[in-house]
């Protein structure tokens, strides 16, 4: 299948000189980055397939020591 996107590789002769110029280059390329297909939603995992979570002791201590999580 042929590639419908034109080659737009920048060279040192046309590198953006400022942030505004770089934003303009990005805005010009944005239509080439969009996808027509929506991203598929991940399928939920049924509870019967969840058998528990194993957490290393060092990680559990780290989380326990954080006041946001351990209190």
């Amino acid at each position: 299948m042929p590639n419908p996107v034109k080659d737009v590789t920048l060279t040192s002769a046309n590198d953006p000189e400022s942030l505004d110029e770089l934003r303009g280059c990005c805005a010009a390329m944005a239509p080439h980055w969009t996808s027509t297909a929506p991203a598929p939603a991940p399928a939920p995992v049924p509870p019967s397939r969840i058998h528990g979570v194993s957490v290393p002791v060092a990680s559990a201590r780290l989380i326990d020591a954080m006041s946001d999580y351990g209190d």
Side-chain angles (χ1 to χ4, degrees), residues 2-32:
N3 186 354
V5 179
K6 295 178 185 176
D7 183 15
V8 291
T9 305
L10 291 176
T11 64
S12 60
N14 60 1
D15 282 344
E17 295 291 326
S18 67
L19 182 58
D20 286 334
E21 198 173 329
L22 177 60
R23 286 180 179 157
C25 291
C26 292
M29 283 302 301
H32 299 286

Side-chain angles (χ1 to χ4, degrees), residues 29-50:
M29 283 302 301
H32 299 286
W33 297 332
T34 60
S35 173
T36 56
V45 176
S48 62
R49 294 199 55 206
I50 300 173

